[in-house]
Amino acid sequence: KVKCGMAGYVLSSDALRLVMNDIQDAVTDPALPVYEIDEQLSVLSGRIEGSLYDELVKMTTYYKQLYANVPKGETSEKFPADKVKHLIAEYGSKVKDESERAGFVALTTPLVDTAEPYTKSQAASIPGSERILSSFIEILRNWITTERWFCGGVSYAEAIENLRKANKNDSSGILDACRAHALLKSTATVISTIIDSISDAGKTDIASTELKSVVQGAAGLVETSPCLTDIASMSGNETYDRLSQRCRNVLIEESLPSMEDRKNKVLKVVQSLGGEDTTKQIEELVQDNIAGSDILFPVLRAAADVSEQLKVLEITARKQYQSYNITEFCPMADQGALKFIYHNKPRASVFSSSSRITSMTDLTRAMSNSKLSDLERSDSDSSLQSAEEKGKVPSDVPRVALMKICKTMGDSNALKSILQEFPQYDGSAPPCKAGPANVLSIFVLESYTGDDESSLAKSIETLLARVLEDLEKADIRRVTFVIPRANHPLPSIFTFRETADFTEDHLYRDIEPEMSYQLEMLRLTKNFSVTYLGAHLSPSGQVYLYKATPKASALAHDKKANKAPRIFARAVSFIGEFSAGTFEQLLVESFNAVDSIKTSDQGGDNHLFMNVVSDSQSSIIDPVLVEQVVSSILKRYSDRTARLGIAEVEAKTVCRLAEDAHPISLRLVASNPTGFVQVVNTYIEAVHESGSKRVFKSIGGTKANMACSGDSSWEDLDVNTPYPLTRPFDAQRKAALRSSDTLYCYDLPALFEAAIEKQWTDATGEGSQPAMVMFTSELVVKKKSGGPWTIEDYANGNLELVEAQRKAGKNDVGMVAWLMTLKTVEYPNGRQVVLIANDITHKAGSFGTREDVVFKLASQFARARRIPRLYIAANSGARIGLAEGIKKVFKVAFKDPSNPESGADFLYVSKSDYERLGVSRKDLIAEAATLNGEEVFKITDIIGSEPDLGVENLKGSGLIAGETSSAYDDIFTLTLVLGRTVGIGAYLVRLGQRTIQKTTSSPIILTGYQALNKLMGVDVYSTNDQLGGPAIMYNNGISHITDNDHLSAVTSAVHWLSYVPSMRGGLLPITDVTGGDEIERPI
């Protein structure tokens, strides 16, 4: 029935359920192998040796009778299928004649093949698991063979055409494939059921008597991986996506070590503890992530005695307290408890806000022991420490932790006697002055069978309320209850803190308390309502997933923010030293965890935080090297990052820059704002000017900083700043995309950096890519005497163009310019170019007089240095300004106020507004009029007080048109049209002569198509591309190169530059092709 359903015949869900029930009855029947082997034996009577036949029949007869007397559902002796194979093989080895042996093998092969699956079924209660698994694999393979033609987003017609080409002589096969695909939703249900069976079998212990899957215990489960991998790669519609997601989840599950294997390994180590290498054995378990929380309670229950249970707790303690210094363990076998002493590790150093960290040299010098004065530890720094240490246990204070095993929740009533074991209880040790320091953990062996964990938490709160005084006497900071769940492999974890009067901390439910500090969860909760998803699939168990929904209070402050929920993934890894391998492993695990979330739309605002907790006392890291490693790894996974909708990857580690340096906290924030290039910003922690908080401080000299490819948006933010609903410049990026399908201007330098790196990657010959391929400084127009400036200041010679390193988005004019030093293949030591770009997010990218001045001075700067000038065009032409002051107060005198469509008589302002705007400021000219018996002033002329309202903008346009003509005569000019360019923008394209045009949404026009249609009175044009798109401009020679996207256009510009000298009159660039080509080669 299943095979017919897979062939395209209707198989209802009810019929499928009945079939699966029949399959379950068959594979769990111990007589199944007996009757299948007996069926094969029936055709061998008289054809094989009589004694062998009789022995095989005797065996099947015995087991038929045995199973006939066993009640259904009870486990009986397993049929020895391997004995059938052994008897046949033994007889075959005795046959001396070669031809006779060949005939015997041919006769008995069907019998051996029938017995084979039953030798691989490892679960005694499911003898047919391997048998049905082979059928499932066959169904999967056939389905993949059919659906591979239709997935991937191809149209049905295209799929049929491809089928016909590949199967020219098999029309029936084509028909079968089409018929099977026609019932895709039905066949997908069968496939989903099979995948679920495989998944359930992989997660179930072979020794378990509980039936969770019909293929439970099958040795061939590993052979399903190729099929699952093929399905996981499918896409194209909702059905394929759903099955693909399910297969990826199962493959992730299969990559995890077996729970049974890990449990046995931990028990083996526990039984051998006590020797000289005890610590080493435990460290190996911890580093290999063997002792996870999912096997904690199975191991505790399997332990031979209390002593072994306490050794299990010691392993657990060493794993959970990796970020602390544990000094002493004290087992208390009589009470079933383990007590140990530990200390907080010293916190990373911070910098004074006045410390200048403009380069890695400055950072290294500041952190050197011989230059401690550069840290400027002053009164403000002391106040920071006192503020931070309030309530925080100092590193020199010994803390006591006690882990107690209870068989049931009722045993936890003996809390008072446990609390007496803390030294502060009887006064033998003083309480911590900074606040409670000790912790108590209760491990309950009895599983919780209910569904309402909140009521369980309430009952624990009630229990703790009875011993509040004892908790205070014992100096308890936190109490944690760890309780196994009957229906889930991971235990429930409830945390009760002294700061909340020992009520539950809901935010950290199911998180190991020692881990919670490393997750920086408080940064999520201010702007988002957080829900723990819990269904993470991570080999290390150190990836935590949260669904974050924007709060109404946060949306009130950011009304344009995306209201949709997003995923926050928090990952923590405890390692000896930060390395590329450990970072990549944690990154992939985190991606797998996010991928396991069952949703068809991952959104685009997801966030990944990775805290790589290394040994700061020994880890020596160069931030520049870390940035390069992180960038290269993220670049490899850029497609997957985009598919998962992860907008930002944040990595944190504590390190030292040299042997004699203090440990510092290093933070890397990576994003891909352009969709083409991963941009990484690197920060350290510094003291704020107020001395009361830590803030992020950008490191100068790193890749993003020197290349101006990062936005440094975290600069001077508190290290505990909540995650915003909208990231910096998201509004500008969306505005640029919406306005002209282009990029925010401050994202453009990153494209040049990526293009040059690609050039080095594609280059042949000797020479290696420099660590930094681009250095950039912004060219900023400033008034010599300071303050705001206008075009009159330019006319009077009061302006200057200066090189500056300033944050992205600090411009107050819609034109931005950079001086870029590009280390290309032709000029590995660097060549300079001036890049000028419109900011289309500033007044629609229009040209006002101030924009014209920036363009003019930047172009003159390039001419003075005789270096190439590149212009990126995305604008709206010359500005037509609005007098905002008048716009707010004018009124309309309608011919018929009840019917505004009838037209208006005039525009007017009130008497008070006229006296303010017309008499005092001369912003308008108006004449007195009477409206409805009231004196008003009819507007005749609008002058306005704002700059750039009228024809003065055309004067500026003439200024830059003349400058571009001069620049074309003096230096190399090149224009990249990456968005709509209008009016003077179009003139600049033509006057610059050399043009690269993006193929979409980048017309070069003098006015819009709507204006022309109105002029002609008929709709001749429907898009601006019909006026100035690539089909017009490229075919007529105005544009010389067309590219599909922004990065390709910039790459073409870099390639064009490879034929141009670094400056006018310079030597032609000659590339060293040694190794890639030889002059003396034969031709």
Side-chain angles (χ1 to χ4, degrees):
K1 286 184 177 179
V2 174
K3 289 185 176 178
C4 288
M6 297 303 293
Y9 298 97
V10 176
L11 181 66
S12 67
S13 57
D14 291 337
L16 176 61
R17 186 173 61 256
L18 291 174
V19 169
M20 294 305 295
N21 289 337
D22 290 343
I23 290 175
Q24 179 174 318
D25 291 340
V27 299
T28 55
D29 189 343
L32 176 64
V34 180
Y35 286 102
E36 284 216 322
I37 290 173
D38 191 51
E39 182 181 1
Q40 293 297 329
L41 273 175
S42 64
V43 299
L44 295 178
S45 178
R47 304 176 68 186
I48 61 173
E49 175 65 28
S51 59
L52 173 63
Y53 178 81
D54 291 341
E55 188 166 358
L56 292 173
V57 170
K58 181 180 177 182
M59 184 189 304
T60 57
T61 302
Y62 167 77
Y63 280 97
K64 282 181 184 178
Q65 296 173 351
L66 174 66
Y67 296 145
N69 299 322
V70 175
K72 185 177 180 181
E74 290 189 12
T75 304
S76 181
E77 180 183 351
K78 183 181 177 181
F79 178 78
D82 52 344
K83 187 176 180 181
V84 174
K85 290 179 59 181
H86 175 72
L87 289 172
I88 294 174
E90 185 180 32
Y91 180 84
S93 64
K94 295 177 181 179
V95 179
K96 302 299 181 182
D97 185 72
E98 198 71 33
S99 59
E100 186 178 345
R101 187 188 307 115
F104 175 78
V105 170
L107 283 172
T108 57
T109 293
L111 177 59
V112 173
D113 290 344
T114 300
E116 178 70 20
Y118 299 104
T119 65
K120 296 180 179 180
S121 297
Q122 299 170 341
S125 59
I126 315 176
S129 59
E130 185 71 25
R131 175 75 171 81
I132 192 61
L133 179 65
S134 60
S135 298
F136 281 175
I137 292 176
E138 181 184 357
I139 291 173
L140 289 175
R141 287 171 177 165
N142 291 338
W143 186 83
I144 292 168
T145 300
T146 298
E147 298 303 329
R148 187 178 285 124
W149 297 101
F150 300 92
C151 68
V154 299
S155 65
Y156 185 78
E158 185 179 354
I160 298 301
E161 184 63 24
N162 293 335
L163 263 171
R164 292 176 60 188
K165 289 180 180 178
N167 302 274
K168 294 180 179 179
N169 300 320
D170 187 14
S171 56
S172 62
I174 298 172
L175 181 61
D176 291 341
C178 293
R179 183 173 61 242
H181 175 70
L183 290 180
L184 175 60
K185 290 188 176 180
S186 175
T187 59
T189 303
V190 177
I191 297 300
S192 181
T193 303
I194 293 174
I195 294 171
D196 289 342
S197 296
I198 295 171
S199 173
D200 292 339
K203 293 184 290 188
T204 307
D205 189 352
I206 295 174
S208 174
T209 57
E210 183 182 1
L211 178 62
K212 292 188 176 181
S213 169
V214 293
V215 294
Q216 185 174 318
L221 282 172
V222 67
E223 298 176 11
T224 61
S225 293
C227 293
L228 296 179
T229 302
D230 285 343
I231 298 175
S233 64
M234 289 184 173
S235 62
N237 61 37
E238 184 180 348
T239 302
Y240 293 133
D241 291 342
R242 177 169 50 82
L243 290 176
S244 174
Q245 179 70 67
R246 185 71 183 101
C247 285
R248 286 199 296 272
N249 293 346
V250 175
L251 290 170
I252 294 170
E253 292 169 1
E254 289 183 356
S255 69
L256 307 180
S258 164
M259 181 185 294
E260 190 68 20
D261 290 344
R262 290 190 295 126
K263 185 179 81 172
N264 292 334
K265 190 169 184 177
V266 171
L267 283 172
K268 185 177 180 181
V269 171
V270 166
Q271 292 163 1
S272 64
L273 288 181
E276 296 180 355
D277 60 345
T278 295
T279 303
K280 182 179 178 182
Q281 288 179 302
I282 294 177
E283 286 179 353
E284 288 179 356
L285 282 180
V286 172
Q287 290 176 1
D288 295 341
N289 294 305
I290 300 298
S293 56
D294 57 336
I295 65 167
L296 172 60
F297 285 96
V299 172
L300 284 174
R301 293 168 182 147
D305 51 32
V306 175
S307 177
E308 282 193 4
Q309 287 182 332
L310 296 186
K311 290 176 182 178
V312 174
L313 289 186
E314 181 179 345
I315 295 173
T316 302
R318 290 188 182 275
K319 179 178 184 296
Q320 293 181 356
Y321 287 79
Q322 291 180 81
S323 58
Y324 300 87
N325 292 323
I326 300 178
T327 58
E328 181 184 350
F329 280 96
C330 179
M332 299 186 297
D334 56 330
Q335 296 202 38
L338 176 70
K339 184 165 66 174
F340 58 93
I341 299 173
Y342 69 102
H343 294 75
N344 289 349
K345 289 183 178 179
R347 188 161 183 180
S349 301
V350 294
F351 293 83
S352 167
S353 58
S354 59
S355 297
R356 287 180 55 81
I357 311 296
T358 57
S359 67
M360 283 308 304
T361 304
D362 290 343
L363 181 61
T364 305
R365 186 183 68 249
M367 292 311 302
S368 172
N369 273 337
S370 60
K371 296 287 185 180
L372 286 179
S373 59
D374 286 352
L375 283 172
E376 298 184 17
R377 294 198 175 274
S378 59
D379 292 338
S380 64
D381 190 38
S382 300
S383 64
L384 167 67
Q385 292 186 36
S386 62
E388 288 185 338
E389 297 304 323
K390 186 177 181 180
K392 182 176 174 62
V393 182
S395 59
D396 59 346
V397 174
R399 305 178 63 182
V400 179
L402 193 147
M403 293 180 164
K404 165 69 175 173
I405 299 175
C406 297
K407 291 183 179 179
T408 65
M409 277 295 295
D411 294 346
S412 60
N413 289 322
L415 274 177
K416 190 168 185 176
S417 62
I418 291 297
L419 292 172
Q420 293 173 1
E421 297 296 329
F422 288 92
Q424 288 83 0
Y425 192 90
D426 58 5
S428 57
C432 177
K433 294 180 181 179
N438 301 331
V439 296
L440 173 64
S441 299
I442 306 294
F443 296 83
V444 182
L445 295 181
E446 183 182 41
S447 297
Y448 178 66
T449 56
D451 296 325
D452 187 4
E453 291 190 347
S454 295
S455 62
L456 177 59
K458 287 292 183 183
S459 65
I460 299 175
E461 288 178 5
T462 304
L463 176 66
L464 294 176
R466 300 177 192 149
V467 292
L468 283 179
E469 292 184 5
D470 299 281
L471 291 167
E472 183 179 352
K473 287 177 66 177
D475 204 31
I476 299 298
R477 185 184 187 88
R478 165 180 53 79
V479 179
T480 299
F481 277 73
V482 186
I483 304 172
R485 286 177 278 193
N487 55 354
H488 199 283
L490 295 176
S492 296
I493 302 175
F494 303 95
T495 301
F496 307 86
R497 301 184 187 276
E498 182 270 340
T499 53
D501 296 327
F502 293 102
T503 57
E504 191 199 3
D505 194 340
H506 297 276
L507 182 62
Y508 298 109
R509 181 180 291 183
D510 295 336
I511 302 177
E512 295 172 357
E514 299 76 18
M515 192 81 73
S516 61
Y517 170 75
Q518 309 290 348
L519 297 179
E520 298 188 1
M521 291 295 298
L522 295 179
R523 297 184 65 193
L524 273 68
T525 54
K526 181 175 176 60
N527 292 330
F528 298 94
S529 298
V530 178
T531 304
Y532 179 52
L533 296 175
H536 61 278
L537 296 169
S538 165
S540 65
Q542 294 179 149
V543 179
Y544 301 85
L545 299 180
Y546 298 88
K547 178 183 177 182
T549 305
K551 291 182 177 179
S553 57
L555 289 170
H557 289 89
D558 189 358
K559 294 182 172 59
K560 295 183 179 180
N562 182 6
K563 299 179 182 179
R566 68 280 314 264
I567 295 170
F568 278 84
R570 322 293 285 176
V572 180
S573 177
F574 294 93
I575 61 172
E577 184 177 351
F578 184 95
S579 66
T582 55
F583 178 82
E584 184 169 9
Q585 181 182 5
L586 186 61
L587 181 72
V588 172
E589 285 185 19
S590 303
F591 282 165
N592 290 343
V594 176
D595 217 354
S596 70
I597 301 300
K598 299 174 179 62
T599 175
S600 58
D601 182 13
Q602 294 284 5
D605 290 320
N606 300 332
H607 182 278
L608 169 60
F609 168 72
M610 299 190 299
N611 191 353
V612 183
V613 184
S614 60
D615 186 352
S616 61
Q617 302 303 320
S618 60
S619 297
I620 300 174
I621 301 176
D622 180 356
V624 175
L625 180 60
V626 172
E627 189 180 65
Q628 292 173 359
V629 168
V630 171
S631 297
S632 62
I633 293 174
L634 290 175
K635 185 177 181 180
R636 290 203 299 271
Y637 293 96
S638 59
D639 290 343
R640 192 175 187 193
T641 305
R643 181 173 63 79
L644 294 175
I646 297 176
E648 202 166 61
V649 177
E650 177 186 354
K652 175 185 177 182
T653 189
V654 176
C655 66
R656 291 188 299 159
L657 303 181
E659 291 284 354
D660 58 349
H662 290 271
I664 60 169
S665 179
L666 195 67
R667 188 91 53 151
L668 297 97
V669 183
S671 60
N672 187 358
T674 63
F676 303 108
V677 185
Q678 284 288 345
V679 176
V680 180
N681 290 278
T682 307
Y683 304 90
I684 55 172
E685 293 183 7
V687 186
H688 190 258
E689 293 176 357
S690 64
S692 61
K693 61 181 179 180
R694 295 178 180 234
V695 296
F696 293 115
K697 190 176 182 68
S698 178
I699 301 178
T702 55
K703 185 176 180 182
N705 185 280
M706 297 299 289
C708 281
S709 55
D711 55 32
S712 300
S713 56
W714 285 26
E715 181 80 5
D716 293 329
L717 290 181
D718 190 310
V719 295
N720 296 316
T721 298
Y723 292 112
L725 303 188
T726 304
R727 292 181 307 281
F729 307 117
D730 271 3
Q732 289 91 326
R733 287 167 182 140
K734 290 177 181 178
L737 183 66
R738 183 173 57 251
S739 175
S740 189
D741 190 26
T742 190
L743 300 178
Y744 181 44
C745 60
Y746 279 96
D747 291 331
L748 295 172
L751 299 187
F752 280 85
E753 185 181 20
I756 297 170
E757 288 179 344
K758 183 178 185 302
Q759 185 193 42
W760 277 101
T761 302
D762 297 341
T764 58
E766 295 182 352
S768 58
Q769 176 181 326
M772 294 285 298
V773 298
M774 186 175 82
F775 297 89
T776 303
S777 58
E778 190 171 348
L779 299 176
V780 181
V781 176
K782 291 187 176 181
K783 192 174 181 179
K784 293 178 181 179
S785 58
W789 57 270
T790 64
I791 193 170
E792 284 76 17
D793 295 307
Y794 167 74
N796 297 330
N798 293 329
L799 299 181
E800 59 180 346
L801 190 71
V802 298
E803 297 181 40
Q805 292 287 343
R806 68 175 183 178
K807 297 180 186 178
K810 291 297 183 180
N811 61 309
D812 58 355
V813 58
M815 191 74 68
V816 187
W818 295 272
L819 174 63
M820 307 171 70
T821 301
L822 313 178
K823 293 189 175 183
T824 62
V825 174
E826 302 78 31
Y827 293 98
N829 294 324
R831 66 176 301 165
Q832 290 188 327
V833 300
V834 169
L835 176 67
I836 307 172
N838 294 109
D839 182 357
I840 201 166
T841 67
H842 183 87
K843 298 185 179 179
S846 58
F847 290 82
T849 57
R850 299 181 81 235
E851 283 76 17
D852 299 330
V853 169
V854 174
F855 188 100
K856 167 75 173 178
L857 293 179
S859 183
Q860 283 183 331
F861 181 90
R863 285 202 290 145
R865 296 199 177 194
R866 305 170 72 186
I867 58 177
R869 191 209 77 181
L870 278 61
Y871 168 51
I872 295 183
N875 54 74
S876 301
R879 185 172 302 156
I880 302 175
L882 292 174
E884 296 293 335
I886 298 173
K887 179 181 174 183
K888 295 176 182 178
V889 299
F890 82 91
K891 299 178 177 63
V892 182
F894 291 105
K895 294 180 181 296
D896 181 3
S898 63
N899 183 23
E901 290 82 2
S902 62
D905 287 327
F906 56 86
L907 304 180
Y908 68 93
V909 293
S910 65
K911 184 177 181 180
S912 59
D913 288 332
Y914 174 71
E915 291 175 351
R916 179 170 57 88
L917 297 174
V919 178
S920 300
R921 293 168 48 178
K922 306 296 184 183
D923 285 355
L924 59 81
I925 299 175
E927 57 188 32
T930 302
L931 181 66
N932 299 328
E934 180 185 354
E935 183 182 16
V936 297
F937 286 82
K938 177 181 175 182
I939 300 174
T940 58
D941 301 277
I942 296 176
I943 301 170
S945 58
E946 295 87 349
D948 299 347
L949 288 180
V951 294
E952 62 266 30
N953 294 319
L954 298 180
K955 178 182 178 182
S957 297
L959 180 72
I960 60 176
E963 170 59 33
T964 301
S965 296
S966 299
Y968 174 71
D969 290 336
D970 291 348
I971 56 175
F972 174 83
T973 57
L974 174 64
T975 303
L976 289 81
V977 183
L978 301 184
R980 172 196 65 240
T981 184
V982 184
I984 181 58
Y987 287 120
L988 295 179
V989 171
R990 186 64 186 124
L991 291 171
Q993 298 292 333
R994 306 171 189 86
T995 305
I996 298 173
Q997 187 176 14
K998 186 163 70 78
T999 54
T1000 57
S1001 304
S1002 301
I1004 305 170
I1005 55 177
L1006 296 180
T1007 190
Y1009 73 92
Q1010 299 97 329
L1012 292 179
N1013 287 341
K1014 289 181 180 179
L1015 179 66
M1016 293 181 288
V1018 61
D1019 290 342
V1020 177
Y1021 303 105
S1022 58
T1023 67
N1024 286 327
D1025 282 338
Q1026 293 175 330
L1027 298 174
I1032 304 296
M1033 295 302 179
Y1034 180 71
N1035 292 339
N1036 286 281
I1038 306 302
S1039 298
H1040 304 94
I1041 297 175
T1042 58
D1043 282 297
N1044 294 327
D1045 55 59
H1046 300 79
L1047 181 58
S1048 298
V1050 172
T1051 302
S1052 296
V1054 171
H1055 181 66
W1056 199 330
L1057 282 172
S1058 67
Y1059 296 96
V1060 179
S1062 59
M1063 59 186 297
R1064 180 172 180 176
L1067 296 175
L1068 290 173
I1070 300 176
T1071 306
D1072 183 2
V1073 295
T1074 306
D1077 196 5
E1078 298 292 338
I1079 296 176
E1080 300 298 334
R1081 59 181 167 82
I1083 56 174

